[in-house]
Amino acid sequence: DGFGDLSNLQLLHIHGNSLRGTVPLLASKGQHYSSFISDCGSPSVFDSPLDCPSCTMCCNSQSECDMAEKKTDFGMWSSVLTGSAVATLLLASTTLTKAICSFICSFNKSTPSTDNEHYTIGKESVYSFFLSTSVSAWALATTVLAVQALCFGFFIDEASLEFGSDKLWRYSFLCPRNNPDCRNTSEVTPSGWIFFVLFAFVYLLCDMLNGLKLIWSASKYGLSQRGFQSFIGGCALFTITALALYATAVYNVATSRSNLDMIFNTVILLFVNDLDEKLFTSLHVISPEWLEVTTRDIAANFGGGVRMNVQYAAANHQLRDQQSNKIKNIDKSLGRKNNAIKTVEARHTKLKKRVLWLEAKQDTENENIKKLEVRNQELSQKVEELVSFIEKQNRRFEELVSFREEQNRRFEYIEMNLVEVEANNKRLKEKVAGFEADQEVKKREMGRVDIIKKGLEKKVEGLESELKNFRSDFQKFVGKVENST
């Protein structure tokens, strides 16, 4: 409770101390994002992190920190993005939106320049099944829509900043205990966000505008089945694309701490957005007959341009047959010439094979010559190596001979010195024998000295006893003299 009374408190760092419980409300709000720091982040060394409502920065058990106000900012930007999507939906009924859709999507070469709803929603997408009257096609499209929305929901849920739970949010600050300021470790630069916007523009903008275009085109059918299908298909396409954009943005804010992370996360989330097209491609293999029937049903309801193409193909069928007959007559006249040409070609082929055989033979001989040259070079190198080895061995032999001569001289010198050493040893032995005899004499003299020493000691002891007796007699005499006086 003492912290709450410190109105002039400007700096409080209590992180890294393994504290638990609740930090009381502080009287001061702090002047900097690193003013008040505690272990209120996750993961924590305890089951629940420290509760600190007044902290400006929260740290976890991995010494990573982040600003507490980011939770509010994250929710604010999420609301802004959602509001922008709703505002874009409100503009779906304007003629300007239709013009923008046609202009931007005209740059996509895979999308035909037509107002047909089948092309607008995507002929190679499962979402085109919303334009079908088949219940199974609607169920499949709805399932894919739900799966994509669920996947994006997982990313959005894990991207939320909650200090009391373990989410995927990556803390971007490092707060050393010996420094009052925290350091931002995020390496995301404006170029990373530019790449994010570029990828989102290329992959998502056309789908969002096509969804708005379908919603706008639903009005021309009125309250009818085709109007309802066009409206539902447009809402599904726009909603899932807007959700992909939102999930990609918030997940990058939560987890991207470098430009490479941002590009990697963006590509993964955009891959989830292509799930409808990948499933449509798989249906070509899984059930091509059912897919053909469903596509024809959509073309019958919304494919006016497709019917016109079929009629045009039928009208040209007779003309194509006439041209085929004329081509057959020309082929017959050219048949004889072709036979002559084939004969010449056969002779040319034989000559060509003969030339190829000769070239192959020449190549084989050249290869053999090259192999012999290589072998000759190898043998020359080996001969040179043997010559150098023999020279080395000769030098080694000469060195051994000189070493042997030197050893013989040393042996002669040792033999000459050996006689002198033996004579010296003999003299030393004689000296040792004389020394030992002297030692024996000295030992006998020491024995006599010990005997004399013992006799003297006995005499000293006798003199000492006589001295003691003399002293006692003298003391007695002195006592008698003193008594007589």
Side-chain angles (χ1 to χ4, degrees), residues 353-412:
K353 290 181 179 179
R354 179 64 178 174
V355 171
L356 292 174
W357 180 78
L358 291 174
E359 290 178 350
K361 185 177 180 181
Q362 184 66 28
D363 293 337
T364 303
E365 292 178 353
N366 292 332
E367 289 179 358
N368 292 331
I369 292 172
K370 290 180 180 180
K371 290 180 180 179
L372 290 174
E373 291 177 351
V374 172
R375 182 63 178 170
N376 189 18
Q377 292 178 357
E378 292 178 353
L379 291 174
S380 298
Q381 291 178 357
K382 289 182 178 180
V383 169
E384 293 177 355
E385 291 177 356
L386 288 173
V387 170
S388 62
F389 177 76
I390 291 171
E391 291 177 353
K392 290 180 180 179
Q393 292 299 322
N394 289 332
R395 289 193 296 271
R396 180 64 177 170
F397 179 75
E398 292 176 356
E399 292 176 356
L400 291 174
V401 170
S402 61
F403 178 75
R404 180 180 178 182
E405 293 176 352
E406 184 178 357
Q407 292 297 325
N408 291 330
R409 288 193 297 271
R410 289 182 179 179
F411 287 147
E412 292 176 356

Side-chain angles (χ1 to χ4, degrees), residues 40-42 49 71 157-167 169 171:
C40 51
S42 294
K71 184 174 183 180
D157 179 65
E158 289 296 329
S160 60
L161 177 59
E162 297 180 8
F163 290 113
S165 60
D166 294 337
K167 298 290 185 179
W169 185 286
Y171 294 0

Side-chain angles (χ1 to χ4, degrees), residues 37-194:
I37 307 175
S38 69
D39 296 327
C40 51
S42 294
S44 175
V45 294
F46 304 107
D47 294 336
S48 59
L50 186 68
D51 185 17
C52 184
S54 301
C55 286
T56 58
M57 187 79 71
C58 288
C59 299
N60 57 21
S61 58
Q62 299 173 356
S63 300
E64 299 172 343
C65 306
D66 217 331
M67 292 187 293
E69 64 182 11
K70 274 191 176 182
K71 184 174 183 180
T72 304
D73 295 341
F74 183 76
M76 180 185 67
W77 284 109
S78 302
S79 301
V80 170
L81 187 58
T82 306
S84 301
V86 174
T88 306
L89 275 174
L90 296 177
L91 295 174
S93 60
T94 63
T95 307
L96 178 62
T97 302
K98 181 180 179 181
I100 295 174
C101 294
S102 301
F103 174 74
I104 293 178
C105 293
S106 63
F107 291 100
N108 189 353
K109 295 182 180 180
S110 63
T111 303
S113 179
T114 177
D115 291 337
N116 186 276
E117 286 80 3
H118 194 189
Y119 287 104
T120 302
I121 199 171
K123 292 185 65 176
E124 301 295 328
S125 172
V126 175
Y127 291 143
S128 63
F129 294 165
F130 283 117
L131 305 180
S132 173
T133 57
S134 173
V135 177
S136 59
W138 268 72
L140 184 60
T142 305
T143 302
V144 172
L145 179 65
V147 169
Q148 284 183 308
L150 187 62
C151 289
F152 290 131
F154 289 152
F155 282 100
I156 293 172
D157 179 65
E158 289 296 329
S160 60
L161 177 59
E162 297 180 8
F163 290 113
S165 60
D166 294 337
K167 298 290 185 179
L168 292 180
W169 185 286
R170 293 178 59 186
Y171 294 0
S172 57
F173 284 87
L174 182 64
C175 300
R177 298 181 62 183
N178 59 351
N179 194 331
D181 295 326
C182 296
R183 178 170 56 86
N184 191 353
T185 59
S186 177
E187 298 178 356
V188 178
T189 60
S191 59
W193 286 105
I194 290 173

